[in-house]
Amino acid sequence: QVQLVESGGGLVQPGGSLRLSCTASGFTFSSFGMRWYRQAPGRERELVATISTTGASTDYGDSMNGRFTISRDNAKNSVYLQMNSLKPEDTAVYTCNARRWSWPKWVEYWGQGTQVTVSS
């Protein structure tokens, strides 16, 4: 059974930090690129960060402005999102995504999400 389970969300004050984790099972984690998305109420889902299968390549959404860092540990089947200098506008449900091209289509798996609330 394929699972992606996020953890680490919660309530944090502006300027604070959080580290999100996403642990995978039921598929070959090291063969999948990983992504973090977020979605705030009333807004479209936004791509936060991506990381390649080996972790050698990463990319970030424009809104992150160098505050977030994505990483992965293939030995632990896990991907992480370190979030620093958090702002109220970072409040959203954060969801991890596994994605791999398997001709003729993308194979994707999604987690359930973890809530991040930035508020004083």
Side-chain angles (χ1 to χ4, degrees), residues 36-39 43 45-50 59-70 81-87 89-92 94:
W36 284 98
Y37 285 89
R38 70 183 183 184
Q39 187 166 21
R43 300 189 66 176
R45 187 171 62 200
E46 178 183 18
L47 178 61
V48 175
T50 66
D59 197 13
Y60 299 90
D62 291 340
S63 301
M64 312 316 138
N65 294 325
R67 299 179 295 123
F68 293 3
T69 302
I70 189 171
L81 185 67
Q82 177 67 44
M83 305 186 294
N84 299 327
S85 302
L86 284 162
K87 306 174 182 179
E89 52 263 42
D90 294 317
T91 295
Y94 286 71

Side-chain angles (χ1 to χ4, degrees), residues 31-35 37 53 97-101 106-109:
S31 296
F32 283 71
M34 297 299 297
R35 298 180 169 197
Y37 285 89
T53 54
N97 163 269
R99 191 167 184 243
R100 185 186 77 167
W101 176 252
W106 289 100
V107 175
E108 287 192 277
Y109 305 122

Side-chain angles (χ1 to χ4, degrees), residues 5 12 36 51 61 73-74 80 82 102 120:
V5 180
V12 63
W36 284 98
I51 189 166
D73 185 341
N74 285 345
Y80 309 99
Q82 177 67 44
S102 181
S120 55

Side-chain angles (χ1 to χ4, degrees), residues 11-34:
L11 174 64
V12 63
Q13 292 187 342
S17 298
L18 280 177
R19 187 187 191 223
L20 305 184
S21 300
C22 172
T23 301
S25 60
F27 65 98
T28 306
F29 177 77
S30 60
S31 296
F32 283 71
M34 297 299 297

